[in-house]
Amino acid sequence: MSLNRIIQTAMVWSIASFYGSVMLVTMTLSAIRRGPRAFFGYKSRPDRPKCLDDPDLGTHGYVRLKTSGLRFHYVAAGEPQKPLMLCLHGFPECWYSWRHQLKEFRNSYRVVAPDLRGYGETESPQPSGYHGWPNFSMAHLTNDVRELIEALGYSSCTLVAHDWGGAVAWDFTINNPDLVDKLIVMNIPHPAMFQKYLSTHFSQFRKSWYMFFFQLPWLPEILCRSFDFELITDAFQGKEMGCRRSGAITDEDLEALKYTFTRPGTSITGGINYYRAAFKTFPPRSYKGTKVQCPTLLIWGDQDGALEVGLTEGTDRFVPDFTLKLVPGASHWVQQDQPQVVNGHMREWLKE
């Protein structure tokens, strides 16, 4: 192990341990105040929420990928002969995050929204749990996208992505320019911009505390499951991170998201392992000098509680054919918070 890697690892673990100590105290006080049973308990959800099987959103399907052998679940809308629009979700979400886009673009595209590896009805690689993080490296995630396009019967796609799906989409497009005709990314910066901005803006570093906290074993899972996945409720309906538009995320929508992490054979660990693999895979990939060759649209809700708008600045240095659309008053969950505005930007840009 190189000296640089030792230093980086020590720094990450020091910061992770600090936030772990803070969260351990916070969680202990919450358990005392609200009761251990409430803290450690979450509802059994044997019944599948009806919204997940809404026929207006499309049909459910499965494909098994060659390299990993994992069976991927997806929902598809639109005729198979139409061009492919592949939609990649973020954390803590699933294919259902693209419900508005599945309905909006089905007449022009074959819109496919998969559950990414470790999410929902898509299988999680073994070994599971904390020690399974190597199976969630960027190389594995981008290979999934490559094989998904092939398994769906296409040679390229319009790639649409948000949050962690967006991180995968940026990397995939940079390294597979022949497989992406157009790229639409939402509330996730180009990786080169994120690396630089995080190291020069303490305000963003502070907002990214959870990325370091997620490096720890077990404790992040306990926090996420506490109070019946209250973290998901706060993320989508809370004051800091939640959707700004009233009714954007209904109680049924929340149940659908929580169901994906509580159904038999699933857990929150898969999603958390994305963060673990990103930090533990040293050295980080260098994006200096790399370009995105295809036309790219970046849509950004300017009220994002986790990622600052400043992360968008300078993206055109890496993306020659670049368009930025800010959505005023929209949260991090921009395609669910303001679906009409987002779909309008997408439609107009795709026509161009």
Side-chain angles (χ1 to χ4, degrees):
M1 182 181 291
S2 67
L3 178 61
N4 185 49
R5 182 171 179 177
I6 293 174
I7 294 173
Q8 288 176 317
T9 301
M11 288 179 61
V12 168
W13 274 98
S14 296
I15 298 170
S17 298
F18 168 75
Y19 284 121
S21 299
V22 173
M23 292 310 301
L24 184 60
V25 172
T26 302
M27 291 159 61
T28 300
L29 293 175
S30 296
I32 293 173
R33 184 175 68 254
R34 299 169 63 179
R37 177 175 294 184
F39 181 87
F40 291 103
Y42 61 87
K43 292 194 307 184
S44 174
R45 291 177 168 83
D47 298 325
R48 182 181 175 90
K50 293 181 180 179
C51 61
L52 292 177
D53 294 315
D54 183 352
D56 289 340
L57 300 182
T59 58
H60 294 255
Y62 300 86
V63 291
R64 190 168 294 279
L65 303 190
K66 295 178 181 178
T67 302
S68 65
L70 297 177
R71 191 180 77 152
F72 268 67
H73 165 255
Y74 64 87
V75 172
E79 298 300 324
Q81 65 269 23
K82 296 182 183 297
L84 175 64
M85 176 183 282
L86 186 63
C87 303
L88 309 180
H89 67 79
F91 173 88
E93 302 176 87
C94 65
W95 71 266
Y96 186 69
S97 300
W98 299 107
R99 57 196 178 279
H100 302 292
Q101 288 68 44
L102 284 161
K103 291 190 289 187
E104 176 70 19
F105 295 99
R106 64 189 307 162
N107 292 329
S108 303
Y109 293 88
R110 174 71 166 174
V111 189
V112 177
D115 285 329
L116 301 184
R117 69 162 56 196
Y119 281 90
E121 296 180 57
T122 289
E123 292 178 341
S124 185
Q126 298 299 318
S128 60
Y130 171 81
H131 295 290
W133 66 260
N135 292 313
F136 293 87
S137 69
M138 188 60 74
H140 284 99
L141 302 177
T142 54
N143 190 66
D144 288 345
V145 178
R146 184 183 303 108
E147 294 193 7
L148 265 173
I149 294 171
E150 179 183 354
L152 292 168
Y154 291 86
S155 58
S156 64
C157 70
T158 292
L159 191 57
V160 182
H162 169 255
D163 188 72
W164 247 108
V168 176
W170 279 119
D171 194 286
F172 180 79
T173 305
I174 290 168
N175 293 286
N176 299 273
D178 56 321
L179 297 182
V180 183
D181 302 317
K182 293 183 178 181
L183 175 65
I184 302 175
V185 184
M186 304 180 192
N187 278 74
I188 194 74
H190 185 284
M193 300 309 303
F194 186 68
Q195 291 175 4
K196 179 180 179 180
Y197 196 89
L198 189 64
S199 63
T200 57
H201 291 76
F202 182 71
S203 57
Q204 180 58 60
F205 184 88
R206 188 172 62 249
K207 290 178 181 178
S208 301
W209 68 271
Y210 61 94
M211 299 182 186
F212 294 92
F213 173 65
F214 282 176
Q215 303 312 304
L216 301 174
W218 310 303
L219 196 59
E221 280 87 343
I222 295 173
L223 172 66
C224 290
R225 289 193 294 262
S226 65
F227 301 114
D228 191 34
F229 285 88
E230 191 172 64
L231 175 141
I232 294 180
T233 302
D234 289 342
F236 289 95
Q237 291 185 339
K239 292 182 179 180
E240 183 176 349
M241 276 291 295
C243 291
R244 299 302 189 261
R245 179 174 62 87
S246 177
I249 300 292
T250 66
D251 290 342
E252 186 180 25
D253 295 335
L254 278 180
E255 278 300 303
L257 292 171
K258 291 182 180 182
Y259 172 81
T260 65
F261 296 110
T262 57
R263 56 188 295 274
T266 62
S267 73
I268 196 75
T269 300
I272 295 175
N273 275 344
Y274 282 59
Y275 294 92
R276 289 166 174 157
F279 273 65
K280 289 179 171 63
T281 307
F282 289 123
R285 184 174 298 190
S286 174
Y287 292 94
K288 186 177 181 180
T290 59
K291 303 274 187 182
V292 174
Q293 302 299 328
C294 67
T296 300
L297 170 64
L298 178 59
I299 298 175
W300 201 281
D302 69 354
Q303 297 301 306
D304 192 326
L307 299 170
E308 297 179 356
V309 178
L311 286 160
T312 65
E313 297 174 2
T315 305
D316 54 349
R317 298 203 306 269
F318 299 92
V319 189
D321 191 346
F322 177 66
T323 302
L324 171 65
K325 293 291 185 180
L326 295 180
V327 182
S331 66
H332 177 74
W333 322 101
V334 62
Q335 82 274 29
Q336 301 179 75
D337 201 347
Q338 294 290 342
Q340 291 184 338
V341 176
V342 168
N343 291 346
H345 287 320
M346 290 176 62
R347 177 73 68 185
E348 180 181 356
W349 182 80
L350 289 168
K351 285 181 179 179
E352 294 175 359

